[in-house]
Amino acid sequence: MTMTASPVTSAACATPMPAAAPAASTAPTASTAAGGGAADRLALKGDLLDFTAAPDWARVDDPAVRFRPDHWLLIEQGRIVGAQPTDPGEGWQRHDHSGRLILPGFVDTHVHSPQLDVIASYGTELLDWLNTYTFPAERRYQDPAVAQEGAARFLDALLAHGTTAAVVYPTVHKGSADALFDAAAARGMRLITGKILMDRHAPDGLRDDVVQAERDCLDLIARHHQRERLAYAVTVRFAPTSTPEQLAMAGALCRADASLYMQTHVAENRSEVEWVARLFPQARSYLDVYDQVGLLHPRAVLAHGIWLDVTDRAVLARTGAQIAHCPSSNLFLGSGLFDWAAHRAAGVAVSVASDVGGGTSLSTQRTLSDGYKVQALQGQRLTAWSGLHAATRGAAEALDLAGELGHFDPGTMADVCIWDWASGSVAQHRMALVRELHERVFAWMTLSDERNLVASYVAGVPRFQRG
């Protein structure tokens, strides 16, 4: 049975709670293989919050917010079929989470799986960070056992932080990508990844070459791309660590198959930008290095983008490439302040990302709290709506996955997380004093983290449950 969603509560109302969304793109069938099965009919009760569209910048009473307090979210065979205020009855496996917040699972659009090993490391900027911490950690992943253990640990950590889908960097080793794909399939997760391309300016054990890298990519694409909820990303670490020949090969892969994703870094740090200018003197800008070889397209995800100019933003808008904003990492490494409002005004899609281990937590709430601070330092104010949209429906739309995840429209996969509104006496006291919905959700976004998470469902299957 398919049930239509009940009327929503406007975000402008003083009583707490509202939200929803449209669909796009073809979604896979619910996978119950690997790691358990979804209940045939599952009903979760709580305060449902999602988005039907992109909220306006700095608007707190936004009609794009769909908030349905004290509603049942109905899931059949791993897919959302509707929501209603009344008990659906005996034919459903019911879980009553009244007084808790229910959100779509978060989408982390830029994170490094092996860098859990070096999270919270002291004292460096980007280029020193890579040489001192990142590269030694990644070299260990040439061992298949390390890669498999690391993939499982990383994905379970995502789920324990309320992230149910991600765009992930493994290492240069083909086996590290294999391990991530297989571990994600075992958990039913939407995962986008691909082996790193890196044929220069990297230590022994972390360099590939153009010919072998292309063979590895083609084999990984054949075995994993569009298998279950997996997709392949042509993964250029960043321009300095690929020769022009390797960048051209990566661009050719993207042109040969428009369904492939591409992920890389761009304009994160001023020293990095200066290095790219010396390595690629023919390019107008760092971003232009990628544009010249065909790496910018609607499925391209570029992390950071702090030091881009007006022309660069126009190129991003023209090509449909998105920026994965990594505020925690940018603050921790001292990289700079990303101008979200300017990118938005230029028509550039912006999602949010933890960038662990440059970022200091896999928690999307902590990331968004840092995102608020980054904007405040530039005289802007990031609403809870803009932040949470960028981590749910907005990220899904930018990845061409809005028909599959990121909101509670009927037909989407039931990637759902249940949260306590408050954890601890300070947050409980604050929540008792809120006056309207945005105040409540903003306080939750600022004060909560993974300790508030009650359960994570992937395609209707519980993959994390507290306690």
Side-chain angles (χ1 to χ4, degrees):
M1 132 179 129
T2 299
M3 310 195 73
T4 57
S6 60
V8 302
T9 303
S10 167
C13 291
T15 49
M17 320 292 174
S25 165
T26 303
T29 57
S31 171
T32 57
D40 286 346
R41 300 172 105 201
L42 174 67
L44 304 173
K45 187 180 183 182
D47 300 329
L48 309 185
L49 175 64
D50 69 335
F51 298 88
T52 59
D56 290 336
W57 187 258
R59 180 175 178 178
V60 299
D61 57 343
D62 201 295
V65 179
R66 179 167 56 190
F67 184 54
R68 290 171 284 185
D70 207 29
H71 271 55
W72 290 92
L73 184 67
L74 305 180
I75 299 164
E76 289 192 74
Q77 297 294 327
R79 289 185 180 276
I80 294 167
V81 296
Q84 61 184 46
T86 56
D87 192 313
E90 290 299 325
W92 297 79
Q93 183 184 114
R94 291 167 291 173
H95 297 274
D96 190 338
H97 293 283
S98 296
R100 286 175 168 153
L101 174 64
I102 300 182
L103 285 170
F106 290 131
V107 183
D108 191 335
T109 56
H110 180 74
V111 59
H112 297 255
S113 62
Q115 289 190 29
L116 285 183
D117 295 2
V118 297
I119 190 172
S121 292
Y122 172 76
T124 63
E125 291 188 358
L126 172 65
L127 300 180
D128 288 336
W129 166 273
L130 290 173
N131 291 315
T132 305
Y133 299 118
T134 299
F135 288 157
E138 291 188 0
R139 192 186 292 114
R140 294 193 290 272
Y141 278 66
Q142 62 190 323
D143 181 338
V146 172
Q148 291 166 9
E149 292 166 7
R153 178 172 53 249
F154 169 75
L155 293 178
D156 287 341
L158 287 184
L159 293 168
H161 286 75
T163 295
T164 55
V167 184
V168 183
Y169 268 65
T171 69
V172 72
H173 312 105
K174 180 183 177 185
S176 74
D178 268 323
L180 263 179
F181 277 126
D182 289 341
R187 292 158 177 76
M189 295 175 71
R190 164 55 73 180
L191 191 85
I192 300 168
T193 191
K195 79 158 235 89
I196 290 178
L197 300 174
M198 193 158 60
D199 67 343
R200 66 171 175 173
H201 298 139
D204 291 345
L206 285 178
R207 291 189 306 275
D208 54 15
D209 62 71
V210 176
V211 174
Q212 187 58 51
E214 183 177 31
R215 287 197 198 105
D216 288 347
C217 288
L218 291 173
D219 183 58
L220 289 165
I221 290 165
R223 289 193 289 120
H224 298 296
H225 185 53
Q226 298 182 328
R227 170 169 73 95
E228 299 182 33
R229 301 183 71 188
L230 309 176
Y232 194 83
V234 175
T235 302
V236 176
R237 170 158 233 126
F238 66 153
T241 50
S242 285
T243 59
E245 293 76 17
Q246 188 172 69
L247 292 172
M249 180 272 286
L253 288 175
C254 291
R255 287 191 298 274
D257 185 349
S259 70
L260 294 174
Y261 289 87
M262 193 285 296
Q263 60 175 339
T264 193
H265 300 78
V266 68
E268 177 179 359
N269 170 283
R270 281 176 288 192
S271 296
E272 168 210 17
V273 172
E274 292 166 2
W275 188 21
V276 171
R278 294 194 298 272
L279 291 172
F280 300 92
Q282 78 286 358
R284 190 202 72 82
S285 68
Y286 191 157
L287 186 73
D288 189 46
V289 174
Y290 300 135
D291 195 25
Q292 287 184 6
V293 294
L295 288 173
L296 301 184
H297 52 78
R299 291 194 168 198
V301 183
L302 298 102
H304 306 296
I306 298 169
W307 304 102
L308 300 178
D309 61 20
V310 172
T311 301
D312 290 324
R313 291 193 285 272
V315 170
L316 290 170
R318 170 178 58 79
T319 59
Q322 68 168 294
I323 291 292
H325 173 36
C326 309
S328 298
S329 172
N330 298 159
L331 292 172
F332 185 70
L333 296 179
S335 300
L337 305 178
F338 175 72
D339 192 338
W340 192 335
H343 282 75
R344 181 184 174 110
V348 178
V350 177
S351 55
V352 292
S354 68
D355 192 29
V356 163
T360 51
S361 175
L362 291 172
S363 167
T364 294
Q365 298 100 298
R366 291 190 191 184
T367 299
L368 291 173
S369 179
D370 282 342
Y372 177 85
K373 297 164 194 170
V374 166
Q375 298 313 304
L377 285 167
Q378 301 172 90
Q380 296 284 338
R381 292 293 181 265
L382 178 69
T383 65
W385 308 142
S386 290
L388 289 172
H389 176 265
T392 55
R393 186 189 191 98
E397 289 176 343
L399 294 169
D400 194 25
L401 294 173
E404 178 187 336
L405 51 83
H407 52 88
F408 293 148
D409 278 3
T412 55
M413 304 293 279
D415 295 349
V416 178
C417 291
I418 300 164
W419 301 88
D420 286 331
W421 276 106
S423 176
S425 61
V426 171
Q428 289 166 359
H429 176 71
R430 180 69 183 94
M431 286 298 175
L433 298 175
V434 297
R435 295 160 296 178
E436 44 81 28
L437 182 62
H438 183 265
E439 184 179 1
R440 184 179 193 182
V441 177
F442 184 81
W444 176 83
M445 186 182 85
T446 305
L447 297 175
S448 73
D449 57 25
E450 68 275 14
R451 290 169 291 186
N452 293 62
L453 184 63
V454 176
S456 297
Y457 288 80
V458 177
V461 179
R463 297 295 180 181
F464 168 84
Q465 294 188 82
R466 188 172 64 198

